[in-house]
């Protein structure tokens, strides 16, 4: 029996918290304010306003059977609890030399608990536990230049706080030079 491997579609998945409409407007407004601090003639790829999310676990390439098993586990577990999310500052990611601009999310005990619960689900389907610490954030922009593209980063007078109402599973794909995130399953937070 010959199996045509090219016909088997492995998808790149991640699990994330999706901002509410009002929270998303705040994030978009934050980006507009930061754009005013951009140096001229610097190329920046800003995240689409409808693609903001807080990644809880980037799983990566997954076989269809593993995806189905993950959905079965998530469907059969008690609901996740709703949790407040707070943006406390902007920074470069993963460190000061990074080429990604992010809004950093406070790692509260409740967010850490959600992260741990999702890690447990992902580990049950054969994906190893993360070896690095969780740094929750929302990606705002990416840039290729090694030089800083902004004269400064916005300083928030106070944290931006909202709740997220769902834990979502997304498929990540690359089309026309852009990364596209497609929602494939959503779990309401109670």
């Amino acid at each position: 029996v010959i199996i045509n491997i090219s016909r088997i579609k492995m998808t790149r998945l991640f699990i994330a918290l999706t901002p509410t409409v009002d929270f998303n407007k705040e994030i978009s407004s934050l980006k507009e304010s930061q754009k005013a601090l951009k140096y001229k003639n610097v190329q920046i790829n800003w995240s689409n306003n409808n693609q903001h999310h807080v990644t809880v676990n980037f799983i990566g390439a997954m076989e269809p059977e593993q995806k189905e098993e993950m959905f079965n586990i998530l469907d059969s577990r008690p609901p996740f609890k709703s949790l407040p999310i707070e943006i406390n500052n902007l920074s470069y990611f993963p460190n000061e030399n990074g080429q990604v601009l992010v809004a950093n999310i406070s790692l509260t005990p409740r967010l850490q608990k959600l992260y741990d619960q999702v890690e447990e689900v992902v580990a049950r389907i054969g994906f190893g536990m993360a070896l690095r610490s969780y740094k929750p954030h929302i990606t705002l922009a990416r840039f290729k230049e090694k030089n800083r593209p902004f004269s400064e980063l916005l300083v928030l007078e106070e944290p931006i706080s909202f709740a997220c109402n769902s834990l979502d599973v997304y498929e990540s794909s690359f089309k026309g030079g852009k990364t596209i995130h497609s929602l494939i399953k959503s779990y309401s937070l109670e």
Side-chain angles (χ1 to χ4, degrees), residues 38-139:
K38 179 179 97 57
Y39 289 122
K40 290 182 180 177
N41 302 322
V42 175
Q43 281 295 107
I44 297 177
N45 292 323
W46 293 92
S47 300
N48 291 334
N49 286 340
N50 63 350
Q51 299 275 301
H52 298 137
H53 61 273
V54 180
T55 301
V56 177
N57 189 300
F58 186 85
I59 301 164
M62 181 181 272
E63 298 284 351
E65 299 80 19
Q66 291 170 312
K67 183 167 73 170
E68 202 56 45
E69 184 180 354
M70 181 182 72
F71 288 148
N72 288 338
I73 294 168
L74 287 170
D75 289 340
S76 65
R77 69 170 314 287
F80 292 100
K81 300 290 183 206
S82 178
L83 70 155
I85 297 294
E86 186 175 274
I87 296 174
N88 54 19
N89 66 353
L90 301 187
S91 74
Y92 297 108
F93 188 85
N95 55 44
E96 191 56 38
N97 296 320
Q99 292 170 279
V100 178
L101 175 69
V102 299
N104 290 301
I105 305 295
S106 298
L107 183 56
T108 61
R110 287 181 62 193
L111 182 53
Q112 181 68 52
K113 183 176 181 181
L114 175 68
Y115 170 80
D116 293 342
Q117 291 172 328
V118 169
E119 277 287 302
E120 190 177 298
V121 169
V122 171
R124 282 180 57 190
I125 57 171
F127 288 83
M129 299 294 271
L131 299 176
R132 58 186 181 273
S133 61
Y134 181 44
K135 296 180 182 176
H137 62 275
I138 297 170
T139 299

Side-chain angles (χ1 to χ4, degrees), residues 13-25:
L13 299 180
F14 65 92
I15 299 173
L17 294 164
T18 304
T20 61
V21 172
D22 288 339
F23 190 12
N24 202 50
K25 285 179 186 173

